Amino acid sequence: MNLKFKIYNLQLRHVFRIARGEESIAPIVIVELHHDGIIGYGEAAPSSRYGESVETVVKFYHKINLAKFNSPFETDSIMNYLNSISNGDTSAKCGIDLAIHDWIGKKLNISLSNYFGFDRSKLATSSFTIGMDSPEMLFKKIKEADDYPILKIKLGSENDEETIKLIRKITDKPLCVDANEGWKDKNLALERIKFLEDKNILFVEQPMPANQIKDTEWLREKSNLPLIADENVLSLSDIAQIANAFDGINIKLMKCTGIREAMRMIHTAQGLNLKIMMGCMIESSIAISAGAQLLPILNYPDLDGNVLITNDPFDGLINKNGNLLISNRPGLGVEPNEKYNSTPYLK
Ligand code: MG
């Protein structure tokens, strides 16, 4: 097995603001796994929230050696080996996991969805994320998102109530709210949730900081809106301890090291009666298509990272009014385009 890498700068359609900061370019690392005449593609979209950057991803890739494995079919052993190298580096590990699953699908000539035996007849619609912005820009972005039936709004600032009131003047679409740990006081969090309760809100994601789990349990008891854990749940071992504080979990491939871990998390969460949301970072079609392959078992897909960018290096996934249409191609269902092909490999 041979690995090759490229660094690719995803250009954002708009400057993206959340409670933690803002960005206009999102650099990712694209992984190629070459074996037996087949190339599996994977993507690492690192987040500074979890201590990663393209530099840490590349450093991790330079540390690993997959020569001791016979083929990507040894997924379990390969991922256990990657996890033995470090505790973090989750997006770097995800890049390898996605490449492995793409390779396996191509080798067997089936999509990942078929590989898992999913029923693709009933699929939830993905939400479309609107970052924080000035009233003028919010108005413009919501108009641009006219085709998307469910919007996800970033809150967690001083102006939350004004933001919602403004949005409700423009649209009555169902909204998902993400506070990104922005409400630091439980009484303030409850006040905000009470304000949201009659505003056609589907759920509130990560209302409070991840280290305030007792406050979040208190909040959940008093809240009539479902609470979804994001920053509180990175991987499988986090789920049991948050089951009393939340109604669902937001799984992100980049946080949990990829599809293998995501499947284990989904089964565990379902066993604890938790709903399954799948979110994303700013990502290309490689990682978004990987998430879309799991759509039949998701309650709340939030897989819009590739429509927030203007230079997607891969083709094959279509987001039609929030409905994610995967191609019939095997594996993750995507193929590199000219933008990818003209990007040089990293030494
Ligand atoms: Mg979130």
Side-chain angles (χ1 to χ4, degrees), residues 83-182:
N83 287 329
S84 74
I85 293 174
S86 68
N87 289 324
D89 297 302
T90 57
S91 79
K93 292 168 185 172
C94 178
I96 305 287
D97 171 283
L98 297 188
I100 288 172
H101 284 92
D102 191 38
W103 187 94
I104 289 174
K106 285 172 174 165
K107 178 73 179 171
L108 301 177
N109 198 27
I110 53 173
S111 70
L112 206 58
S113 223
N114 285 337
Y115 174 75
F116 285 121
F118 294 148
D119 173 4
R120 293 202 66 88
S121 63
K122 38 185 187 308
L123 305 176
T125 301
S126 178
S127 49
F128 181 82
T129 303
I130 309 275
M132 287 175 170
D133 223 313
S134 63
E136 299 73 35
M137 280 306 290
L138 265 183
F139 188 83
K140 186 166 175 260
K141 286 181 182 175
I142 288 171
K143 284 286 162 211
E144 277 179 19
D146 212 28
D147 289 339
Y148 298 95
I150 304 171
L151 301 181
K152 176 168 152 176
I153 305 295
K154 296 286 191 177
L155 295 185
S157 83
E158 304 273 282
N159 312 318
D160 290 343
E161 294 196 4
E162 289 73 18
T163 302
I164 293 292
K165 282 180 189 161
L166 177 78
I167 291 169
R168 280 294 171 241
K169 279 183 199 159
I170 311 169
T171 176
D172 58 1
K173 285 176 189 176
L175 301 178
C176 312
V177 161
D178 188 357
N180 280 112
E181 313 181 280

Side-chain angles (χ1 to χ4, degrees), residues 113 118-126 292-299 301 322-326:
S113 223
F118 294 148
D119 173 4
R120 293 202 66 88
S121 63
K122 38 185 187 308
L123 305 176
T125 301
S126 178
Q293 296 281 345
L294 308 186
L295 262 184
I297 51 168
L298 305 180
N299 303 106
N323 297 311
L324 297 169
L325 311 174
I326 54 172

Side-chain angles (χ1 to χ4, degrees), residues 1 3 61-69 81-82 85:
M1 269 181 288
L3 294 174
Y61 289 160
H62 283 144
K63 261 189 236 170
I64 64 175
N65 178 7
L66 302 185
K68 58 181 156 183
F69 301 101
Y81 160 68
L82 297 185
I85 293 174

Side-chain angles (χ1 to χ4, degrees), residues 152 154 178-180 205-206 230-231 250 252 277 302:
K152 176 168 152 176
K154 296 286 191 177
D178 188 357
N180 280 112
E205 197 183 321
Q206 198 68 42
D230 182 357
E231 285 84 347
N250 183 353
K252 288 181 185 160
M277 172 178 183
D302 177 31

Side-chain angles (χ1 to χ4, degrees), residues 180-185 206-213 216 232:
N180 280 112
E181 313 181 280
W183 301 330
K184 319 268 185 226
D185 173 86
Q206 198 68 42
M208 305 198 65
N211 60 10
Q212 289 175 233
I213 194 72
T216 311
N232 257 117

Side-chain angles (χ1 to χ4, degrees), residues 60 64 75-90 92-94 97 235 255-258 260-261 264:
F60 183 82
I64 64 175
T75 314
D76 237 21
S77 305
I78 297 171
M79 295 310 291
N80 288 341
Y81 160 68
L82 297 185
N83 287 329
S84 74
I85 293 174
S86 68
N87 289 324
D89 297 302
T90 57
K93 292 168 185 172
C94 178
D97 171 283
S235 60
K255 286 192 305 187
C256 77
T257 72
R260 172 177 164 276
E261 184 75 0
R264 297 180 347 144

